[in-house]
Amino acid sequence: MAEIEHHLTEPLLAAYAAGNLPQAYELVVAAHVSLCVECRARLGAHENAGGAVLETLPGAALSAGLRDRVMAALDAPPPAAAAVPRRSGIFPAPVMAALKGQPPRWKTLGGGVRQQILQADAEGSARLLYIPPGVAVPDHGHGGLELTLVLQGAFSDKTGGFGTGDVEIAGPELEHQPVADIGPPCICLAATDAPLRFHALIPRLLQPFFRI
Amino acid sequence: MFADTALAAPLDHRALAVPSGVAKAQAKGRPRAVTHPTDTAMSDATRWMLAVRDGRDRAAFARLYDHFAPRLKGMAMRGGLNAAFAEDVVQDVMLTVWHKAAQFDPGVAPVSAWVYRIARNRQIDMARKRARPLPEELIEEASEPDSQQIYAMEQEVGFLQGALARLAPEQRQIIEKAYMGELSHSEIQAETGLALGTIKSRIRLGLERLRHELKELR
Ligand SMILES: [Zn+2]
């Protein structure tokens, strides 16, 4: 893999460490960290800072019986751990977990573009996108921040080129039309904090072909 | 940080008797070879955690409980939980510390950061009732603990706590709020700029460790 050039920002890593990030972004952070040594180290530094803050907290008084209950529970068998999906091909473990261990079931958006929605709730949505070489990524008009992690191939837009492992962080002000590079199809993990809006996902040209 | 020296008595001296070369040779065949650096280089919490990990030491676990449980409850309540639910989280986190002790590696993360991460993950899993997306674990096969690395981590904790203590009160409050999960990423971006710089300088150490680790895996 070529050197990763586009990384997560410090605030995103800090918010992930602190547990205050919408789940759709968490997925992109976890997937990028799975691929990127540098961001793994930076996340570790934020967790160290979190631990240092934890050490300095005044602490809250505990119920009288809690300590005995915890000590008594040490002998109980640990709760059965759920099977953790492993990395499979281009998909790092957290993406495989979101796929529930199965290969993607692509839905055609038209123009050869395909997607699978991995997660959608009021806080945001995450999806896998499959873009054939030379084709434009659907203009999805995200309302807030959009994170796009390249899992295979590459794409380019007016801000530059993004290869495998790179993450593009696009604010609402960025009107971009990423185009998949020539080569293998570009497969991306994309997350926004806007609620899922299907009409906004469709490239304008393709809209007549795609109705839900 | 852990003032009570009476509690600091080493709980597991077995490994100290093993010359590091021997420990290295044995590392492959054993799940864990413990090479403790000198006692003074290790915090009480690290010693307790290693005693739990390697000796299933209940007294050491009780020390960890006394140290972390009140802080964990405070952390959970700052996250918006009521006292009863916060204690459920405390119980769950402390039992996870006990059951997952084998995963603790003092050369990778200090105890406080390891506990902090467990608490965050458990709190989110319990609130969402589904597993939080987590990064892949690095595959570590028989990597023998590096006493220099453990020492570096101990120093890192001290450095971070010192940096926190030296921050101006408002800056410190912002950092506290950020790591207690009270600020969104955009609020962190807007408000913590300068204070966040104090931790940035600590990233180099983590990076060097990881590069070293990955080289060994190849
Ligand atoms: Zn990165």
Side-chain angles (χ1 to χ4, degrees):
Chain A
M1 194 191 294
E3 190 93 359
I4 294 173
E5 282 177 34
H6 299 277
H7 296 276
L8 295 163
T9 61
E10 239 47 83
L12 281 168
L13 287 164
Y16 178 88
N20 196 2
L21 205 56
Q23 191 173 344
Y25 292 167
E26 282 190 342
L27 181 56
V28 176
V29 170
H32 179 80
V33 167
S34 299
L35 304 173
C36 178
V37 175
E38 185 175 327
C39 287
R40 185 184 289 273
R42 288 159 71 210
L43 177 59
H46 285 291
E47 287 169 345
N48 288 355
V53 169
L54 177 65
E55 287 286 0
T56 62
L57 287 189
L62 300 162
S63 305
L66 185 61
R67 191 179 197 267
D68 289 344
R69 282 205 299 282
V70 170
M71 295 305 290
L74 295 185
D75 289 325
V84 183
R86 295 217 184 150
R87 179 188 292 227
S88 175
I90 62 167
F91 300 114
V95 174
M96 285 311 293
L99 284 164
K100 301 187 171 64
Q102 303 296 313
R105 288 185 301 271
W106 298 109
K107 291 239 163 61
T108 302
L109 290 183
V113 177
R114 307 178 214 167
Q115 78 164 356
Q116 180 177 351
I117 293 159
L118 295 176
Q119 190 256 324
D121 59 32
E123 284 195 304
S125 62
R127 67 185 68 91
L128 289 170
L129 284 168
Y130 175 107
I131 323 285
V135 172
V137 179
D139 175 13
H140 36 280
H142 50 93
L145 190 70
E146 184 188 46
L147 308 182
T148 308
L149 170 66
V150 182
L151 297 171
Q152 175 183 294
F155 72 79
S156 304
D157 65 17
K158 63 184 177 186
T159 69
F162 296 83
T164 305
D166 282 338
V167 58
E168 181 181 49
I169 298 165
E173 72 287 349
L174 183 68
E175 273 204 28
H176 60 153
Q177 184 82 33
V179 177
D181 289 3
I182 299 305
C186 180
I187 296 177
C188 299
L189 170 65
T192 70
D193 56 3
L196 195 60
R197 290 173 307 167
F198 282 97
H199 65 271
L201 283 170
I202 308 159
R204 274 179 204 104
L205 279 172
L206 297 174
Q207 240 157 7
F209 306 113
F210 186 67
R211 298 251 186 271
I212 290 190
Chain B
M1 150 166 65
F2 305 106
D4 190 349
T5 47
L7 300 180
L11 293 150
D12 181 2
H13 264 299
R14 284 170 305 162
L16 286 175
V18 182
S20 61
V22 176
K24 195 172 180 175
Q26 291 176 342
K28 278 221 159 69
R30 287 164 41 176
R32 287 279 184 186
V34 187
T35 50
H36 290 177
T38 59
D39 277 3
T40 48
M42 218 190 273
S43 74
D44 293 348
T46 306
R47 255 197 310 272
W48 297 332
M49 196 57 231
L50 290 176
V52 167
R53 186 190 77 181
D54 303 327
R56 308 309 282 154
D57 186 322
R58 283 163 183 267
F61 178 80
R63 305 270 193 250
L64 286 169
Y65 175 92
D66 292 339
H67 181 74
F68 282 113
R71 292 173 169 86
L72 288 169
K73 183 175 177 184
M75 176 172 165
M77 290 183 73
R78 282 187 76 151
L81 301 183
N82 65 34
F85 195 13
E87 291 201 347
D88 286 348
V89 171
V90 171
Q91 175 159 358
D92 193 281
V93 171
M94 290 310 300
L95 288 174
T96 304
V97 167
W98 175 258
H99 290 304
K100 300 229 165 130
Q103 294 172 12
F104 173 68
D105 183 342
V108 170
V111 182
S112 56
W114 192 67
V115 170
Y116 173 80
R117 190 173 62 187
I118 289 174
R120 270 293 164 249
N121 293 344
R122 291 305 301 148
Q123 208 171 320
I124 290 173
D125 288 353
M126 287 166 84
R128 286 187 190 150
K129 299 191 168 60
R130 58 186 292 186
R132 181 186 196 203
L134 297 175
E136 281 171 19
E137 299 288 337
L138 284 181
I139 308 145
E140 293 178 72
E141 280 175 33
S143 74
E144 91 245 19
D146 176 340
S147 62
Q148 258 190 323
Q149 195 61 51
I150 298 173
Y151 181 62
M153 272 296 158
E154 295 285 321
Q155 278 192 310
E156 167 131 340
V157 175
F159 180 94
L160 281 166
Q161 286 182 325
L164 276 174
R166 282 190 301 275
L167 284 175
E170 322 81 66
Q171 289 284 305
R172 192 193 159 126
Q173 250 180 6
I174 289 170
I175 290 290
E176 259 184 43
K177 280 166 89 173
Y179 289 106
M180 287 297 111
E182 291 163 27
L183 300 181
S184 69
H185 64 279
S186 45
E187 289 168 330
I188 292 174
Q189 185 147 21
E191 294 182 37
T192 61
L194 201 141
L196 212 54
T198 60
I199 73 147
K200 275 193 196 167
S201 60
R202 305 312 297 161
I203 290 164
R204 183 175 299 274
L205 171 68
L207 253 184
E208 279 166 7
R209 172 183 57 72
L210 272 172
R211 292 214 173 100
H212 176 75
E213 223 162 68
L214 289 175
K215 213 187 289 171
E216 290 203 331
L217 284 177
R218 276 185 207 124

